[in-house]
Amino acid sequence: MNAEVFLISNSLSPLTRSKDHSPLNPKVFAPDSNLKWQPRRFRNRFSEVVRVGKNENVGLWAELREEELGGILDRKRSAVVGKVWADVKSKPFDISTDSVAGSSESVKFGKSLNRVVLKGEEEVGVVGEWWEQFPKRWVIVILCFSAFLLCNMDRVNMSIAILPMSKEFDWNPATVGLIQSSFFWGYLLTQIAGGIWADTVGGKRVLGFGVIWWSIATALTPVAAKVGLPFLLVVRAFMGIGEGVAMPAMNNILSKWIPVAERSRSLALVYSGMYLGSVTGLAFSPLLIDKFGWPSVFYSFGSLGTVWFAVWLSKARSSPLEDPELRPEEKKLIISSCSSKEPVKTIPWGLILSKPPVWALIVSHFCHNWGTFILLTWMPTYYHQVLNFNLTESGLFCVLPWLTMAFSANLGGWIADTLVSRGLSVTTVRKIMQTVGFLGPAFFLTQLSHVNSPAMAVLCMSCSQGTDAFSQSGLYSNHQDIAPRYSGVLLGLSNTAGVLAGVLGTAATGYILQHGSWDNVFEVSVGLYLVGTVVWNLFSTGKKILD
């Protein structure tokens, strides 16, 4: 009998071949010197017996033991393929090892799906390149991050472009406020609807639809503005419809893909995409406007959505159960750790609305978004009117608060997950993080009326936004805590209140500036931050209240 065993990888050569018909042993059947990194038990140990029938020229295939391959894969990321091939000449022979006395493990014939198997001449291996070993759940997180990056790029470009547009079309502050708030008309309509849609048909379709929809609306903005103000208001509302489904859809996807222990970090990373989108939009919009005119901002930003959509269709799945490329060990981790598994068929609205923690989310989201959306839409105007920055300076200085938010959101996510892993209750962690997210901005906004230099004003804005970002590990993580199966609907519900704050706050700011000052604008925001702090600490919880 002739027997051969090969281990194939990017750094391996074949094992030496046994020429005789005696049982294989470590001395005759020794590994090549290139295999010294292997575990000793793999080099010296083979399954006990393979018995072959009397038919001649029979080719048999056998599996290498999974536990043996596991030792290799733990030490070196490389493609490992095992092959045991026996050419039978006349009668059965035994293949055994002397290195493991009393071993009773036998080579099994291909029944397992999760082992490395070779059948006949076909070799099937475990590919160990780093990009194929990268966790698929974090691929989903990164794709959601990039969607939110585009989301805010397309949203904040109007806050820069509105300055030259208002001069060209002779818009007063009230008209500017109306245009800025028109986005939220559509954004408001699709919050709850987007959550229901995502929880019933899956987040992949809903988020993909949203990105394509708002990208088209962004590209149509210059055309609508030149046709007339009513058309511009409609297109901005249409853009809001697309962006309105993004957060509920994302929340639905992550509730199925991300284990509880990674929840704060994953959400913080995704939401930091919004902040970096603001950074990108505010940094590049003035440059594009200066060189190519204000319409170029909308054309260039809108076209990026098609690139993202193509990648999303090929890589994303609504649930790990739908992903055929997901590695078995990662699927087992996700399914065993995630609370949201079965799709939703009916929404128990009465039960949801009867829970005090749900109302704590709704009220707190309103209070939080009032201040956040005012800063998002009016910050360049504040820098231009109060600090006397020109268009380019307004855009560049607006970048600093959003960079601070991107950093502090991820810092807050790491702190929150660390506190939970060390035994602090989820309820306590959520209350701590959201309290920082409310009181921090309230404090720094009160300081704006006392500073007398642009540098200090920008610093106060940056610190205000930086502490605001701790909310991503507070109320924005709480939907999946209290109702994982209905997380999309619940986020849509609370974010509806947040959007109402955006609509009212953005429009009210224009009115306040016509009859008052920026100090009055900030005073309203501070008051709502304080109300949110009280409500959140009295009624919120980190425990699951809805199954």
Side-chain angles (χ1 to χ4, degrees):
M1 182 197 72
N2 296 324
E4 296 182 55
V5 176
F6 294 93
L7 290 175
I8 303 171
S9 76
N10 55 4
S11 64
L12 302 183
S13 59
L15 296 169
T16 56
R17 176 178 174 183
S18 174
K19 298 290 186 180
D20 59 7
H21 292 178
S22 61
L24 301 177
N25 60 71
K27 295 180 180 179
V28 178
F29 198 72
D32 183 89
S33 59
N34 288 333
L35 300 180
K36 291 181 180 179
W37 57 269
Q38 295 184 65
R40 179 178 297 276
R41 63 188 183 123
F42 188 86
R43 298 200 304 266
N44 298 338
R45 183 176 178 184
F46 293 89
S47 298
E48 184 184 10
V49 177
V50 174
R51 294 197 177 275
V52 181
K54 294 183 179 180
N55 295 331
E56 295 184 358
N57 300 320
V58 178
L60 295 179
W61 60 272
E63 296 178 48
L64 288 175
R65 291 177 54 79
E66 182 180 21
E67 64 183 272
E68 311 292 2
L69 288 176
I72 294 176
L73 294 176
D74 287 341
R75 288 167 169 77
K76 188 176 182 73
R77 290 185 175 181
S78 61
V80 180
V81 179
K83 180 177 180 182
V84 178
W85 186 269
D87 292 329
V88 181
K89 299 302 182 182
S90 58
K91 61 181 181 179
F93 290 92
D94 292 347
I95 301 176
S96 61
T97 180
D98 297 333
S99 63
V100 183
S103 173
S104 61
E105 292 97 0
S106 60
V107 176
K108 300 178 181 179
F109 291 87
K111 294 181 180 179
S112 173
L113 293 176
N114 298 330
R115 299 178 182 179
V116 178
V117 178
L118 280 181
K119 189 171 184 178
E121 298 298 326
E122 181 182 358
E123 297 181 351
V124 181
V126 178
V127 179
E129 301 296 346
W130 69 267
W131 56 83
E132 301 204 14
Q133 296 296 318
F134 189 77
K136 183 61 179 289
R137 63 189 184 277
W138 284 95
V139 173
I140 301 297
V141 171
I142 291 172
L143 285 171
C144 290
F145 163 88
S146 58
F148 277 53
L149 181 81
L150 295 176
C151 177
N152 264 34
M153 283 178 61
D154 292 342
R155 187 187 301 182
V156 303
N157 57 13
M158 177 59 84
S159 65
I160 296 292
I162 198 72
L163 298 175
M165 291 173 72
S166 60
K167 291 181 180 179
E168 180 176 335
F169 298 109
D170 195 26
W171 293 331
N172 60 36
T175 302
V176 170
L178 182 65
I179 294 170
Q180 298 277 40
S181 66
S182 63
F183 165 86
F184 298 106
W185 303 345
Y187 195 69
L188 176 64
L189 292 177
T190 51
Q191 291 298 311
I192 297 176
I196 297 173
W197 191 17
D199 284 346
T200 53
V201 306
K204 176 184 176 178
R205 296 179 184 177
V206 179
L207 185 55
F209 159 81
V211 173
I212 283 294
W213 186 276
W214 86 57
S215 297
I216 294 173
T218 299
L220 290 176
T221 299
V223 177
K226 293 177 180 179
V227 171
L229 181 61
F231 293 94
L232 177 60
L233 297 178
V234 170
V235 167
R236 293 295 293 176
F238 267 64
M239 181 182 170
I241 288 175
E243 294 203 3
V245 303
M247 288 179 66
M250 176 277 300
N251 218 34
N252 172 273
I253 293 173
L254 295 194
S255 71
K256 292 177 170 60
W257 274 94
I258 303 300
V260 175
E262 299 174 356
R263 179 172 295 162
S264 295
R265 280 171 289 174
S266 63
L267 285 170
L269 179 60
V270 171
Y271 284 117
S272 69
M274 298 179 67
Y275 309 143
L276 291 177
S278 297
V279 169
T280 306
L282 293 170
F284 283 95
S285 293
L287 301 178
L288 290 170
I289 292 172
D290 184 59
K291 193 164 187 177
F292 303 106
W294 63 263
S296 64
V297 175
F298 301 99
Y299 295 140
S300 57
F301 286 10
S303 64
L304 295 176
T306 58
V307 179
W308 178 92
F309 185 68
V311 178
W312 179 253
L313 286 181
S314 63
K315 296 295 183 181
R317 298 291 185 276
S318 293
S319 165
L321 298 176
E322 301 174 8
D323 195 334
E325 299 177 356
L326 186 64
R327 290 181 292 119
E329 57 270 26
E330 185 177 9
K331 180 179 288 188
K332 181 179 179 181
L333 170 66
I334 294 171
I335 293 176
S336 63
S337 303
C338 289
S339 302
S340 178
K341 299 181 179 66
E342 299 179 0
V344 172
K345 295 181 180 179
T346 58
I347 309 297
W349 290 109
L351 182 62
I352 290 174
L353 295 175
S354 68
K355 302 293 184 180
V358 172
W359 286 101
L361 267 175
I362 293 171
V363 173
S364 298
H365 212 145
F366 180 93
C367 296
H368 172 268
N369 276 27
W370 182 284
T372 299
F373 279 120
I374 286 176
L375 294 178
L376 176 67
T377 54
W378 284 95
M379 193 186 303
T381 304
Y382 172 79
Y383 286 158
H384 181 66
Q385 292 181 352
V386 178
L387 305 182
N388 296 318
F389 293 157
N390 59 35
L391 177 63
T392 302
E393 288 174 333
S394 294
L396 292 178
F397 278 108
C398 283
V399 163
L400 296 178
W402 297 109
L403 279 175
T404 307
M405 290 185 83
F407 171 77
S408 58
N410 287 283
L411 175 64
W414 178 82
I415 292 172
D417 282 345
T418 300
L419 292 175
V420 171
S421 66
R422 292 185 177 180
L424 202 62
S425 71
V426 175
T427 298
T428 302
V429 171
R430 298 290 179 246
K431 288 185 176 182
I432 291 173
M433 304 306 287
Q434 191 54 51
T435 299
V436 175
F438 276 144
L439 296 185
F443 171 77
F444 288 108
L445 286 181
T446 59
Q447 303 308 304
L448 281 173
S449 60
H450 304 296
V451 300
N452 51 16
S453 71
M456 289 302 298
V458 172
L459 178 62
C460 284
M461 283 285 194
S462 299
C463 292
S464 173
Q465 295 291 78
T467 51
D468 176 278
F470 277 71
S471 299
Q472 311 309 330
S473 301
L475 73 89
Y476 282 95
S477 296
N478 196 231
H479 307 84
Q480 296 182 30
D481 294 330
I482 65 176
R485 287 191 66 209
Y486 306 101
S487 57
V489 171
L490 195 56
L491 180 59
L493 187 63
S494 73
N495 206 36
T496 297
V499 175
L500 281 173
V503 173
L504 297 175
T506 303
T509 298
Y511 178 82
I512 292 172
L513 290 176
Q514 277 193 314
H515 300 86
S517 67
W518 280 99
D519 288 342
N520 302 127
V521 172
F522 296 140
E523 286 168 1
V524 175
S525 297
V526 169
L528 289 172
Y529 280 139
L530 296 178
V531 171
T533 303
V534 174
V535 172
W536 182 257
N537 281 280
L538 286 178
F539 300 107
S540 68
T541 182
K543 299 178 181 179
K544 185 165 69 172
I545 60 174
L546 293 168
D547 283 322

